[in-house]
Amino acid sequence: MENSNKVELYRQMSRLVKKLKRKSISLINKKNLYPGEFRVLSLLDINEGISPGDIAKRWSMHPSNITITVNLLIKRGYAIKKRNESDKRRMRIFITDEGEAVKNEYFAEFEKKIGECLENVSDDKIERALDAVNDILGQV
């Protein structure tokens, strides 16, 4: 296969994922949660926590943008900030029980919307696409 076809596969797969995410997230915004807030909320954990810097690295964003988003989540009661026990200079962000409930609600709705977006695609095509993507992932 030509390299240009491989690049086109990458572009189209990326386009598909972005389009599905955009469509599904825009349809589930019951709690007026912005997509960026949803993305950060999806990374938070009740027990583990994560530093704002690690969130920024994960999403390739500037730390100041993450701080704004984290502060909005804290203001809404979806997250809390705690000092890192091993390094008091660093903060860790944890999801609250209320934030976990919202996250789970969003994920359930997100999965439902993805199903609706793909309802007219045959099971056979989805299985073949899944096999191909898993094969590609295994080689990357």
Side-chain angles (χ1 to χ4, degrees):
M1 177 180 279
E2 287 184 39
N3 200 40
S4 61
N5 284 344
K6 293 174 183 176
V7 171
E8 185 60 20
L9 172 65
Y10 170 81
R11 285 185 184 136
Q12 292 297 347
M13 288 174 66
S14 179
R15 188 170 160 238
L16 173 64
V17 168
K18 287 176 186 174
K19 199 169 196 173
L20 282 172
K21 276 180 21 181
R22 225 182 351 257
K23 187 171 184 177
S24 353
I25 289 173
S26 70
L27 295 172
I28 62 174
N29 206 358
K30 293 178 185 175
K31 304 256 185 215
N32 293 323
L33 208 58
Y34 292 105
E37 293 171 311
F38 174 65
R39 286 174 54 186
V40 170
L41 197 62
S42 71
L43 292 176
L44 301 181
D45 185 272
I46 288 175
N47 300 315
E48 296 296 318
I50 188 169
S51 73
D54 288 342
I55 296 170
K57 285 178 197 167
R58 176 92 184 257
W59 293 111
S60 301
M61 296 177 74
H62 194 274
S64 63
N65 292 337
I66 295 300
T67 301
I68 292 167
T69 302
V70 165
N71 287 340
L72 285 170
L73 291 172
I74 290 169
K75 185 177 178 180
R76 292 178 182 198
Y78 298 153
I80 56 172
K81 253 188 225 182
K82 291 182 182 177
R83 291 229 176 262
N84 188 331
E85 291 298 317
S86 61
D87 183 352
K88 300 291 185 190
R89 297 169 296 171
R90 297 193 66 188
M91 298 297 283
R92 295 189 69 75
I93 312 303
F94 295 82
I95 194 168
T96 63
D97 289 336
E98 184 179 356
E100 185 73 22
V102 168
K103 179 172 93 170
N104 291 339
E105 179 183 339
Y106 265 67
F107 276 126
E109 196 66 25
F110 183 70
E111 288 175 4
K112 178 181 167 195
K113 293 300 178 190
I114 287 175
E116 290 172 6
C117 290
L118 298 175
E119 70 185 344
N120 293 325
V121 179
S122 74
D123 288 346
D124 182 53
K125 283 184 180 178
I126 289 175
E127 285 177 26
R128 285 187 304 183
L130 188 55
D131 286 344
V133 169
N134 284 329
D135 186 40
I136 292 167
L137 283 171
Q139 296 178 42
V140 175

